[in-house]
Amino acid sequence: MRLVLLGPPGAGKGTQAALLSEKLGIPHISTGDLFRANIGEGTPLGIEAKQYIDAGKLVPTDVTARMVESRLAESDTEQGFLLDGFPRTVEQADILEELLAKQGHKLDGVLNFNVSEDVVVERMLARGRADDNENTIRTRLGVYREETAPLIDHYGDRIINIDAEGSVEEINDRAMTALGRS
Ligand code: ADP
């Protein structure tokens, strides 16, 4: 299964992706995690990405897309993947479509995690990651509304809506049911 996970920052996509990855036996590919690994290792990509991430802005698409392309070229993605954090713009969605088309593949679906803004702010402040201060959170929610939310219309009937409020287990059950795997 080739799935994209969509939802506002703090929707719990990463937590759900880890569980789904285990249950479905396909890798979880998180652009945020890939950036943080690069930052931790001090790679040129990490150094470039850090300034944007710390400001709550999107890393430029060419940098992000190259990173995703090389990750999707690894053999563990042959049976599918859960893409978390990419695409974040319609431009990135078009790039992904092209990358997959080159391999003769297409997306099977887009899981959209629905959660209110109050809940995402609460979750982000609770996890306390370096980029989770109140200012950055506000910026990221604005970026989500303007740049990422339009993907819901863009994907149209490929969207699978998941109610992402409740416990981790409840949300995971809903996602598995929606995928016909429960
Ligand atoms: P969250 O889901 O809380 O927003 P992520 O770990 O997915 O956190 O992303 C952290 C940061 O990494 C984003 O705020 C952004 O700066 C950068 N980033 C992640 N994915 C992308 C992307 N597809 N395009 C541009 N920047 C990205």
Side-chain angles (χ1 to χ4, degrees):
M1 261 193 202
R2 295 179 177 80
L3 299 170
V4 161
L5 308 184
L6 214 58
K13 294 188 300 288
T15 305
Q16 292 301 324
L19 286 170
L20 290 171
S21 166
E22 201 178 309
K23 293 189 180 177
L24 300 171
I26 49 178
H28 169 206
I29 300 174
S30 156
T31 46
D33 287 350
L34 290 172
F35 283 132
R36 284 184 286 275
N38 275 280
I39 292 170
E41 289 161 19
T43 68
L45 183 133
I47 291 164
E48 178 169 10
K50 189 178 187 315
Q51 51 185 319
Y52 296 97
I53 292 174
D54 286 348
K57 296 184 181 158
L58 293 182
V59 177
T61 285
D62 59 333
V63 176
T64 309
R66 252 184 286 129
M67 179 177 80
V68 170
E69 181 169 18
S70 69
R71 180 64 187 86
L72 289 179
E74 288 176 37
S75 60
D76 65 334
T77 67
E78 273 163 26
Q79 298 311 312
F81 53 76
L82 292 158
L83 203 44
D84 165 12
F86 189 94
R88 254 180 160 90
T89 64
V90 171
E91 184 194 11
Q92 292 184 1
D94 291 339
I95 292 172
L96 176 63
E97 215 73 32
E98 275 172 39
L99 281 177
L100 293 178
K102 269 197 272 180
Q103 308 175 333
H105 293 141
K106 59 180 184 53
L107 287 178
D108 293 302
V110 179
L111 290 179
N112 182 37
F113 290 87
N114 289 297
V115 53
S116 71
E117 244 177 57
D118 284 350
V119 171
V120 300
V121 171
E122 210 175 280
R123 286 183 186 168
M124 281 192 274
L125 288 174
R127 82 184 166 186
R129 212 170 63 194
D131 59 340
D132 283 343
N133 63 70
E134 221 162 324
N135 261 340
T136 316
I137 289 173
R138 235 189 299 278
T139 306
R140 279 150 67 205
L141 285 172
V143 170
Y144 170 77
R145 265 187 247 115
E146 280 167 35
E147 308 229 41
T148 309
L151 285 173
I152 298 169
D153 276 343
H154 177 82
Y155 281 122
D157 60 10
R158 284 188 284 176
I159 292 278
I160 303 166
N161 279 301
I162 309 292
D163 171 3
E165 294 191 14
S167 71
V168 168
E169 293 74 24
E170 277 166 351
I171 300 164
N172 179 248
D173 284 347
R174 287 178 201 140
M176 290 297 283
T177 303
L179 292 171
R181 295 298 187 98
S182 65

